[in-house]
PDB file of all heavy atoms in Angstrom:
ATOM      1  N   PHE A1096     -21.576  38.445  17.766  1.00  0.00           N
ATOM      2  CA  PHE A1096     -21.358  37.754  16.496  1.00  0.00           C
ATOM      3  C   PHE A1096     -21.640  36.336  16.369  1.00  0.00           C
ATOM      4  O   PHE A1096     -21.741  35.740  15.267  1.00  0.00           O
ATOM      5  CB  PHE A1096     -19.912  38.033  15.944  1.00  0.00           C
ATOM      6  CG  PHE A1096     -19.503  39.482  16.129  1.00  0.00           C
ATOM      7  CD1 PHE A1096     -18.439  39.865  16.829  1.00  0.00           C
ATOM      8  CD2 PHE A1096     -20.137  40.459  15.372  1.00  0.00           C
ATOM      9  CE1 PHE A1096     -17.975  41.149  16.908  1.00  0.00           C
ATOM     10  CE2 PHE A1096     -19.675  41.691  15.416  1.00  0.00           C
ATOM     11  CZ  PHE A1096     -18.619  42.121  16.210  1.00  0.00           C
ATOM     12  N   GLU A1097     -21.848  35.599  17.575  1.00  0.00           N
ATOM     13  CA  GLU A1097     -21.885  34.217  17.517  1.00  0.00           C
ATOM     14  C   GLU A1097     -23.088  33.635  16.751  1.00  0.00           C
ATOM     15  O   GLU A1097     -22.995  32.649  16.052  1.00  0.00           O
ATOM     16  CB  GLU A1097     -21.817  33.689  19.005  1.00  0.00           C
ATOM     17  CG  GLU A1097     -20.579  33.783  19.672  1.00  0.00           C
ATOM     18  CD  GLU A1097     -19.427  33.304  18.897  1.00  0.00           C
ATOM     19  OE1 GLU A1097     -19.391  32.116  18.396  1.00  0.00           O
ATOM     20  OE2 GLU A1097     -18.404  34.075  18.689  1.00  0.00           O
ATOM     21  N   LEU A1098     -24.206  34.307  16.825  1.00  0.00           N
ATOM     22  CA  LEU A1098     -25.438  33.846  16.177  1.00  0.00           C
ATOM     23  C   LEU A1098     -25.280  33.906  14.723  1.00  0.00           C
ATOM     24  O   LEU A1098     -25.664  33.027  13.925  1.00  0.00           O
ATOM     25  CB  LEU A1098     -26.637  34.667  16.660  1.00  0.00           C
ATOM     26  CG  LEU A1098     -27.980  33.943  16.617  1.00  0.00           C
ATOM     27  CD1 LEU A1098     -27.968  32.600  17.362  1.00  0.00           C
ATOM     28  CD2 LEU A1098     -29.146  34.885  17.214  1.00  0.00           C
ATOM     29  N   THR A1099     -24.612  35.006  14.198  1.00  0.00           N
ATOM     30  CA  THR A1099     -24.466  35.124  12.723  1.00  0.00           C
ATOM     31  C   THR A1099     -23.579  34.063  12.225  1.00  0.00           C
ATOM     32  O   THR A1099     -23.817  33.399  11.238  1.00  0.00           O
ATOM     33  CB  THR A1099     -23.745  36.539  12.495  1.00  0.00           C
ATOM     34  OG1 THR A1099     -24.544  37.570  13.032  1.00  0.00           O
ATOM     35  CG2 THR A1099     -23.457  36.741  11.016  1.00  0.00           C
ATOM     36  N   LYS A1100     -22.460  33.689  12.987  1.00  0.00           N
ATOM     37  CA  LYS A1100     -21.567  32.712  12.479  1.00  0.00           C
ATOM     38  C   LYS A1100     -22.252  31.345  12.510  1.00  0.00           C
ATOM     39  O   LYS A1100     -22.020  30.577  11.692  1.00  0.00           O
ATOM     40  CB  LYS A1100     -20.369  32.666  13.454  1.00  0.00           C
ATOM     41  CG  LYS A1100     -19.430  33.970  13.202  1.00  0.00           C
ATOM     42  CD  LYS A1100     -18.092  33.896  13.938  1.00  0.00           C
ATOM     43  CE  LYS A1100     -18.302  34.103  15.489  1.00  0.00           C
ATOM     44  NZ  LYS A1100     -17.017  34.192  16.056  1.00  0.00           N
ATOM     45  N   THR A1101     -23.094  31.067  13.623  1.00  0.00           N
ATOM     46  CA  THR A1101     -23.831  29.798  13.704  1.00  0.00           C
ATOM     47  C   THR A1101     -24.761  29.554  12.475  1.00  0.00           C
ATOM     48  O   THR A1101     -24.719  28.541  11.927  1.00  0.00           O
ATOM     49  CB  THR A1101     -24.618  29.793  14.986  1.00  0.00           C
ATOM     50  OG1 THR A1101     -23.710  29.827  16.102  1.00  0.00           O
ATOM     51  CG2 THR A1101     -25.411  28.454  15.021  1.00  0.00           C
ATOM     52  N   PHE A1102     -25.402  30.589  12.174  1.00  0.00           N
ATOM     53  CA  PHE A1102     -26.450  30.488  11.026  1.00  0.00           C
ATOM     54  C   PHE A1102     -25.714  30.449   9.693  1.00  0.00           C
ATOM     55  O   PHE A1102     -26.087  29.650   8.789  1.00  0.00           O
ATOM     56  CB  PHE A1102     -27.321  31.691  11.072  1.00  0.00           C
ATOM     57  CG  PHE A1102     -28.303  31.653  12.233  1.00  0.00           C
ATOM     58  CD1 PHE A1102     -29.030  32.792  12.542  1.00  0.00           C
ATOM     59  CD2 PHE A1102     -28.535  30.624  12.971  1.00  0.00           C
ATOM     60  CE1 PHE A1102     -29.955  32.915  13.629  1.00  0.00           C
ATOM     61  CE2 PHE A1102     -29.512  30.598  14.091  1.00  0.00           C
ATOM     62  CZ  PHE A1102     -30.114  31.731  14.405  1.00  0.00           C
ATOM     63  N   ALA A1103     -24.625  31.115   9.670  1.00  0.00           N
ATOM     64  CA  ALA A1103     -23.848  31.072   8.292  1.00  0.00           C
ATOM     65  C   ALA A1103     -23.321  29.653   8.096  1.00  0.00           C
ATOM     66  O   ALA A1103     -23.449  29.174   6.908  1.00  0.00           O
ATOM     67  CB  ALA A1103     -22.693  32.055   8.312  1.00  0.00           C
ATOM     68  N   LEU A1104     -22.920  28.905   9.133  1.00  0.00           N
ATOM     69  CA  LEU A1104     -22.447  27.585   8.941  1.00  0.00           C
ATOM     70  C   LEU A1104     -23.546  26.626   8.703  1.00  0.00           C
ATOM     71  O   LEU A1104     -23.488  25.718   7.882  1.00  0.00           O
ATOM     72  CB  LEU A1104     -21.599  27.217  10.271  1.00  0.00           C
ATOM     73  CG  LEU A1104     -20.302  27.954  10.474  1.00  0.00           C
ATOM     74  CD1 LEU A1104     -19.736  27.464  11.824  1.00  0.00           C
ATOM     75  CD2 LEU A1104     -19.401  27.650   9.297  1.00  0.00           C
ATOM     76  N   LYS A1105     -24.697  26.936   9.287  1.00  0.00           N
ATOM     77  CA  LYS A1105     -25.854  26.077   9.127  1.00  0.00           C
ATOM     78  C   LYS A1105     -26.377  26.174   7.651  1.00  0.00           C
ATOM     79  O   LYS A1105     -26.925  25.164   7.063  1.00  0.00           O
ATOM     80  CB  LYS A1105     -26.910  26.511  10.034  1.00  0.00           C
ATOM     81  CG  LYS A1105     -28.214  25.576   9.995  1.00  0.00           C
ATOM     82  CD  LYS A1105     -29.346  26.090  10.964  1.00  0.00           C
ATOM     83  CE  LYS A1105     -28.963  25.894  12.410  1.00  0.00           C
ATOM     84  NZ  LYS A1105     -30.109  26.151  13.351  1.00  0.00           N
ATOM     85  N   ASN A1106     -26.158  27.239   7.001  1.00  0.00           N
ATOM     86  CA  ASN A1106     -26.580  27.540   5.692  1.00  0.00           C
ATOM     87  C   ASN A1106     -25.608  27.123   4.564  1.00  0.00           C
ATOM     88  O   ASN A1106     -25.866  27.353   3.314  1.00  0.00           O
ATOM     89  CB  ASN A1106     -26.918  28.988   5.389  1.00  0.00           C
ATOM     90  CG  ASN A1106     -28.032  29.499   6.305  1.00  0.00           C
ATOM     91  OD1 ASN A1106     -28.870  28.699   6.710  1.00  0.00           O
ATOM     92  ND2 ASN A1106     -28.058  30.772   6.627  1.00  0.00           N
ATOM     93  N   LEU A1107     -24.514  26.521   4.908  1.00  0.00           N
ATOM     94  CA  LEU A1107     -23.426  26.216   3.869  1.00  0.00           C
ATOM     95  C   LEU A1107     -23.852  25.424   2.734  1.00  0.00           C
ATOM     96  O   LEU A1107     -23.392  25.698   1.602  1.00  0.00           O
ATOM     97  CB  LEU A1107     -22.323  25.407   4.619  1.00  0.00           C
ATOM     98  CG  LEU A1107     -21.308  26.183   5.549  1.00  0.00           C
ATOM     99  CD1 LEU A1107     -20.344  25.192   6.159  1.00  0.00           C
ATOM    100  CD2 LEU A1107     -20.642  27.268   4.747  1.00  0.00           C
ATOM    101  N   LYS A1108     -24.769  24.513   2.942  1.00  0.00           N
ATOM    102  CA  LYS A1108     -25.173  23.583   1.809  1.00  0.00           C
ATOM    103  C   LYS A1108     -26.464  24.090   1.215  1.00  0.00           C
ATOM    104  O   LYS A1108     -27.081  23.283   0.437  1.00  0.00           O
ATOM    105  CB  LYS A1108     -25.302  22.180   2.400  1.00  0.00           C
ATOM    106  CG  LYS A1108     -23.997  21.634   2.989  1.00  0.00           C
ATOM    107  CD  LYS A1108     -22.864  21.619   2.033  1.00  0.00           C
ATOM    108  CE  LYS A1108     -21.608  21.022   2.683  1.00  0.00           C
ATOM    109  NZ  LYS A1108     -20.452  21.127   1.787  1.00  0.00           N
ATOM    110  N   HIS A1109     -26.980  25.190   1.521  1.00  0.00           N
ATOM    111  CA  HIS A1109     -28.259  25.691   0.992  1.00  0.00           C
ATOM    112  C   HIS A1109     -28.188  25.759  -0.556  1.00  0.00           C
ATOM    113  O   HIS A1109     -27.249  26.227  -1.010  1.00  0.00           O
ATOM    114  CB  HIS A1109     -28.709  27.057   1.531  1.00  0.00           C
ATOM    115  CG  HIS A1109     -30.222  27.310   1.249  1.00  0.00           C
ATOM    116  ND1 HIS A1109     -30.655  27.797   0.101  1.00  0.00           N
ATOM    117  CD2 HIS A1109     -31.281  27.049   2.080  1.00  0.00           C
ATOM    118  CE1 HIS A1109     -31.948  27.865   0.190  1.00  0.00           C
ATOM    119  NE2 HIS A1109     -32.381  27.533   1.381  1.00  0.00           N
ATOM    120  N   PRO A1110     -29.273  25.271  -1.277  1.00  0.00           N
ATOM    121  CA  PRO A1110     -29.184  25.185  -2.738  1.00  0.00           C
ATOM    122  C   PRO A1110     -29.246  26.586  -3.421  1.00  0.00           C
ATOM    123  O   PRO A1110     -29.027  26.649  -4.647  1.00  0.00           O
ATOM    124  CB  PRO A1110     -30.394  24.295  -3.092  1.00  0.00           C
ATOM    125  CG  PRO A1110     -31.241  24.426  -1.932  1.00  0.00           C
ATOM    126  CD  PRO A1110     -30.465  24.611  -0.756  1.00  0.00           C
ATOM    127  N   HIS A1111     -29.765  27.550  -2.668  1.00  0.00           N
ATOM    128  CA  HIS A1111     -30.032  28.881  -3.430  1.00  0.00           C
ATOM    129  C   HIS A1111     -29.122  29.938  -3.205  1.00  0.00           C
ATOM    130  O   HIS A1111     -28.619  30.239  -2.078  1.00  0.00           O
ATOM    131  CB  HIS A1111     -31.434  29.360  -2.999  1.00  0.00           C
ATOM    132  CG  HIS A1111     -32.083  30.241  -4.124  1.00  0.00           C
ATOM    133  ND1 HIS A1111     -31.554  31.441  -4.460  1.00  0.00           N
ATOM    134  CD2 HIS A1111     -33.132  30.087  -4.872  1.00  0.00           C
ATOM    135  CE1 HIS A1111     -32.316  32.027  -5.413  1.00  0.00           C
ATOM    136  NE2 HIS A1111     -33.323  31.193  -5.666  1.00  0.00           N
ATOM    137  N   ASP A1112     -28.675  30.631  -4.358  1.00  0.00           N
ATOM    138  CA  ASP A1112     -27.639  31.558  -4.221  1.00  0.00           C
ATOM    139  C   ASP A1112     -28.029  32.810  -3.347  1.00  0.00           C
ATOM    140  O   ASP A1112     -27.187  33.397  -2.669  1.00  0.00           O
ATOM    141  CB  ASP A1112     -27.381  32.215  -5.628  1.00  0.00           C
ATOM    142  CG  ASP A1112     -25.981  32.702  -5.819  1.00  0.00           C
ATOM    143  OD1 ASP A1112     -25.063  31.993  -5.294  1.00  0.00           O
ATOM    144  OD2 ASP A1112     -25.716  33.706  -6.559  1.00  0.00           O
TER     145      ASP A1112
END
Side-chain angles (χ1 to χ4, degrees):
F1096 309 120
E1097 291 309 309
L1098 208 54
T1099 303
K1100 292 187 283 187
T1101 296
F1102 292 163
L1104 291 176
K1105 186 181 286 189
N1106 296 335
L1107 280 180
K1108 304 300 182 184
H1109 196 279
H1111 205 293
D1112 211 40

